[in-house]
Amino acid sequence: MKRSFGLKVLGCTVGAGMVIGGLGSVAPTFAVASDDGEGRGPIDVWQRAAVDYDKVAEVAGTFTFTQDTLTPADDVFNLFGTAATTICAKPAYAFDGVTREEYYVNVGGLVEKAYSIGVDEIERMESEMKEMRCTCGMSPAIAMASVTGVKVSDLVEMAGVSEEANTITFKDKDGYGLPMPLSYVMDKEALLVYRIGDKAFSDGERLQVWIPDTVAKYFTRAVTDIELSVSDEVPEVQGPDADQRAKVSIMNTVGDAFKVGDLLSFEGYADDCGTKVVAVEFSMDGGETWTSFDTSESNAEDWVYWHFDYVAEASGTFKLDVRAVTEDGTVSPLASSTVFEVEE
Ligand SMILES: Nc1nc2c(c(=O)[nH]1)N[C@H]1C(S)=C(S)[C@@H](COP(=O)(O)O)O[C@H]1N2
Ligand SMILES: [Mo]
């Protein structure tokens, strides 16, 4: 019998089984340190205290992946609302009581003609819809979404950029914003986004920068100022922290015990913010052996959304670990695991 698990709303596990933005019951899925013994990242107490799991060496199963699976819009809005907020995003970025009419973006600095533009006017400009990921470089939060916005290059062109300008900063009203090379933002075709899926941002959060292959700290929310400037040394764009490379997650929640002979369908994602994921690997013996599935045909712009079907061969308590390997040889420092029961 084919048995599907429930799915977590979001599969971002942080430490002790907390699911970022997850709703209701949280799956017993934990971020655990990899098997290299270096103990990077959070190891949950529950994991340490756990009894020995029944082991399956060289776990066999059917693997497939797609790259067009999207995170529902509501989940994208919620994604960074809880756990990630304490890690990296200031909760104060939403400005209460600012109506659509009062919201302006100022384009200025080293430009020929600074100007302010309202949301209505921005929405009347030529729009672009793109699938992009938003991945925090400091926490496990990640989403893939279809976003709609205007090209930053169009906004900047309207102001006429001075030739010496080499830096661009997207700021919120409190001054949050990280300077980036102007050429990088143009090459990546960054968007000032006003819609995710078919949903607009709420009041006060109207516009957010999205940039392909770039960590979310650059995705300034509630942008009020786009500033062009000149730097002697153009700031480099930083990638994800070492412990957030090669993100993986098993999205399944675990319900009742399974029966021997059941086909268990696991699914989740693997992503490294623009560096290609070349393999997704599974272990059911605590990392002694890993079964590797090739994903080198994938593109690096979208996450790898994988499916792994496993037939339960024996009864017991099992733990499935998954990790990703990237083009540059990085192995997920934080594997994702799920524990499940199989009965006679
Ligand atoms: N104005 C503002 N924008 C911000 C931040 C912030 O603190 N203030 N945090 C950034 C970080 S670190 C992340 S992970 C994302 C998360 O928020 P999102 O749900 O808007 O993408 O927002 C980015 N944009
Ligand atoms: Mo973040």
Side-chain angles (χ1 to χ4, degrees):
M1 186 172 92
K2 176 157 169 136
R3 298 279 300 269
S4 285
F5 293 76
L7 278 186
K8 279 186 267 178
V9 173
L10 288 161
C12 309
T13 52
V14 181
M18 174 173 37
V19 178
I20 293 181
L23 309 175
S25 66
V26 168
T29 302
F30 299 86
V32 294
S34 62
D35 61 316
D36 64 10
E38 282 179 41
R40 284 167 292 179
I43 302 175
D44 185 66
V45 181
W46 183 87
Q47 282 285 351
R48 275 198 205 134
V51 287
D52 287 339
Y53 298 108
D54 295 294
K55 289 183 176 177
V56 175
E58 278 149 25
V59 58
T62 309
F63 178 88
T64 54
F65 73 93
T66 53
Q67 296 203 266
D68 51 9
T69 303
L70 298 180
T71 312
D74 282 336
D75 295 352
V76 181
F77 290 125
N78 290 334
L79 178 54
F80 301 91
T82 52
T85 301
T86 58
I87 296 163
C88 54
K90 318 279 174 299
Y93 53 54
F95 33 144
D96 295 333
V98 176
T99 63
R100 186 184 174 83
E101 289 68 38
E102 290 162 346
Y103 191 118
Y104 282 95
V105 177
N106 309 302
V107 182
L110 276 185
V111 296
E112 281 151 27
K113 190 178 171 296
Y115 69 92
S116 300
I117 185 166
V119 180
D120 282 341
E121 239 179 305
I122 284 178
E123 291 192 6
R124 275 197 298 270
M125 287 172 63
E126 192 185 325
S127 69
E128 194 161 299
M129 197 161 108
K130 251 205 280 214
E131 284 180 13
M132 265 195 242
R133 79 163 81 59
C134 180
T135 182
C136 178
M138 302 174 266
S139 80
I142 183 169
M144 265 304 297
S146 169
V147 294
T148 305
V150 290
K151 282 192 211 149
V152 170
S153 58
D154 286 349
L155 289 169
V156 158
E157 225 167 78
M158 280 158 58
V161 187
S162 306
E163 254 176 45
E164 66 268 36
N166 60 11
T167 305
I168 186 165
T169 313
F170 303 90
K171 291 183 177 168
D172 74 2
K173 72 160 193 332
D174 299 324
Y176 177 92
L178 297 162
M180 309 179 80
L182 178 60
S183 57
Y184 178 93
V185 173
M186 295 299 122
D187 290 350
K188 292 285 183 192
E189 298 183 2
L191 294 184
L192 194 61
V193 168
Y194 51 80
R195 205 186 307 143
I196 293 179
D198 57 1
K199 295 211 158 73
F201 283 83
S202 60
D203 273 340
E205 297 181 18
R206 297 258 171 229
L207 303 161
Q208 181 180 31
V209 201
W210 284 55
I211 312 159
D213 308 333
T214 306
V215 291
K217 66 183 172 188
Y218 294 102
F219 289 28
T220 303
R221 205 168 181 171
V223 172
T224 55
D225 289 276
I226 300 177
E227 213 175 84
L228 283 303
S229 59
V230 63
S231 326
D232 294 342
E233 250 176 87
V234 189
E236 238 175 78
V237 178
Q238 291 157 11
D241 292 352
D243 65 349
Q244 297 304 332
R245 293 285 314 272
K247 282 183 185 181
V248 280
S249 188
I250 302 173
M251 294 287 278
N252 308 92
T253 57
V254 177
D256 299 338
F258 301 101
K259 293 257 185 283
V260 172
D262 280 351
L263 178 68
L264 314 191
S265 297
F266 296 96
E267 64 181 86
Y269 56 76
D271 185 75
D272 194 36
C273 193
T275 304
K276 193 201 279 186
V277 171
V278 294
V280 176
E281 304 187 331
F282 298 88
S283 176
M284 266 179 56
D285 56 6
E288 283 168 35
T289 62
W290 290 90
T291 306
S292 188
F293 295 96
D294 185 83
T295 58
S296 57
E297 294 296 300
S298 64
N299 72 67
E301 286 79 53
D302 305 306
W303 66 7
V304 168
Y305 199 89
W306 53 262
H307 290 260
F308 181 64
D309 284 354
Y310 167 76
V311 178
E313 286 156 359
S315 60
T317 304
F318 299 93
K319 179 159 78 76
L320 175 74
D321 291 321
V322 59
R323 67 183 190 184
V325 182
T326 69
E327 203 166 26
D328 66 2
T330 302
V331 179
S332 313
L334 295 170
S336 177
S337 342
T338 191
V339 172
F340 58 93
E341 304 271 344
V342 179
E343 291 170 350
E344 278 304 328

